Amino acid sequence: MPKSKVGDADSREAVSTAASGALRAIPSVERILSSETVKPLIAEYGRPGVKAAIAGHLDALRASREPWTNAAGAIALRERLALASGSTLRRAINATGVIIHTNLGRSPIDDGLWAEASEIVTGYSNLELDLESGERGRRDEHLAAICHSLFGCEAALLANNNAAATLLLLAAVASKKEVLVSRGELVEIGGSFRVPDVIQQGGARLREVGTTNRTRARDYADAASRKTAAILRVHRSNFEIVGFTETPTIEELVEVAHARKLPLLFDEGSGRVVDLAKYGFSPHATIRDHIATGVDVLTCSTDKLIGATQGGLILGRREIIERCRRHPLMRALRAGKESYAIIASTLRAFLAEKHEERIPIYRMLALSTDELRARAASLVDGTNCRSVDARCVLGGGTTPTETIPSTAVEVPGNANAYHQRFLHNDPPIVGRIEDDRFLFDVRTLLPVDLADVKTALQKR
């Protein structure tokens, strides 16, 4: 039988009356603010913030015509306050098998190095004070001695990243003049930043030489003119050109540049302090090797193969470094005291040949196959997961085509589902999917991560 219109009207009236009652029962902001319910929240977040959260929550209740309850209200207010005062940046566990993972903050920092740096960062320091004269000093001098000892350069400067270092160098050396660059080195790095854009923003004019796959030393020599300010070599981050290719050596470029009375600038990018051949990668020249060969100025990141926090080193001839130091852009691109402190501690570890002890990415690289398998066996014990052989990459665009042996934990089941599930773990665990298998690579796990990963595997 169809419902009567009278019955429908009665139902609507009853709902309206209930909603009106719920609205009337909602207490005022001041009443809630003075209640025992929110006292802990005021102690934690402050009265103004709690007051704003209450007002917002009550508006939401009125809109949905829901009643106020102390228990549900306290939970809702805490969630609002946490959202309003929190940061989305949080600790994550890297189980991807990418050691220098740009999306995960690149290189982790050792607790001991962090403690050394914190002595400087947590208080006052002589960041820009000359302790001999008592006059204002220069922050960039704090890394000069250690860079000279480690790399053999005449002078050093620190910018806030490698793109900034290259930008500053070109602005100081080649403003309104040409810079010669191989077409095969006009790369795009992470975040859609392109080398040609960096060159042009530095005020220089890009002059392309050679072809994408083949560039010879004579291409640079033929292109050099009175309009040319420098030759720039760029590390091919994230890719290699193979097949019918040719690239001049650094020695050949040094010869051409100096014969034309031009500086050879090298955006080395990766910050290779030591040769990585002992870890299973192809041998390549180090920063010290390049400077000894005659590169006039080299720039590199400090959070890749150096294994420190973000920064961009400019290393080389004193006269060019001084021009960079005096350039107006230096003020905008300089690094802070935290960067100086952490980078200095990290460089000292290399100087003392203790990088495998004190720098996490080198501890990871130095792990033996037996150590990796023992770590994986401990993680899978008591679960239906299994240990499998895997390959690990260095990352950060440093060795784009090379891998080294590693060990991984395979989690059986739907790989995509597990990938998402572990991203929502606390803390998030970032693994990888390979051949429809979900894997945790154990080489990139820090010692502090192991207990959390074990718990997550047992609870999944």
Side-chain angles (χ1 to χ4, degrees), residues 109-122 309 338 341-342 345-346 358:
I109 307 298
D110 177 76
D111 288 344
L113 294 179
W114 183 263
E116 280 182 18
S118 73
E119 292 184 11
I120 295 170
V121 174
T122 56
T309 192
E338 302 86 352
I342 294 169
S345 291
T346 307
R358 309 206 66 196

Side-chain angles (χ1 to χ4, degrees), residues 92-108 361 364 372 375 379 388-396 402-411 418-420 422-423 428-435 437-446 449-450 453:
I93 294 176
N94 178 12
T96 64
V98 181
I99 294 175
I100 303 170
H101 199 304
T102 297
N103 295 354
L104 297 178
R106 288 191 178 165
S107 297
I361 65 169
M364 292 176 185
L372 293 171
R375 177 180 283 189
L379 290 173
V388 296
D389 291 336
R391 305 292 296 183
C392 183
V393 300
L394 190 48
E402 298 184 70
T403 63
I404 56 173
S406 188
T407 303
V409 171
E410 180 183 341
V411 183
Y418 275 123
H419 179 67
Q420 289 300 316
F422 284 109
L423 285 178
I429 305 174
V430 189
R432 74 172 186 266
I433 297 174
E434 185 177 291
D435 298 327
R437 301 176 301 160
F438 183 68
L439 305 177
F440 284 162
D441 195 300
V442 301
R443 189 186 286 275
T444 52
L445 297 178
L446 298 168
D449 297 333
L450 297 177
V453 172

Side-chain angles (χ1 to χ4, degrees), residues 127-166:
L127 180 66
E128 291 192 2
L129 177 68
D130 186 330
L131 295 177
E132 294 296 322
S133 66
E135 302 294 328
R136 180 165 183 163
R138 298 190 309 201
R139 69 178 63 195
D140 51 85
E141 292 182 339
H142 296 299
L143 293 179
I146 192 168
C147 286
H148 173 72
S149 300
L150 191 58
F151 304 124
C153 56
E154 293 179 2
L157 201 60
L158 180 66
N160 55 30
N161 61 27
N162 187 52
T166 304

Side-chain angles (χ1 to χ4, degrees), residues 4 15 72-73 101 120 155 187 189-190 197 207 223 294 297 339 343 402 415 425:
S4 68
V15 170
H101 199 304
I120 295 170
V187 300
I189 58 177
D197 297 337
R207 175 75 183 275
V297 180
S339 299
I343 292 166
E402 298 184 70
N425 189 71

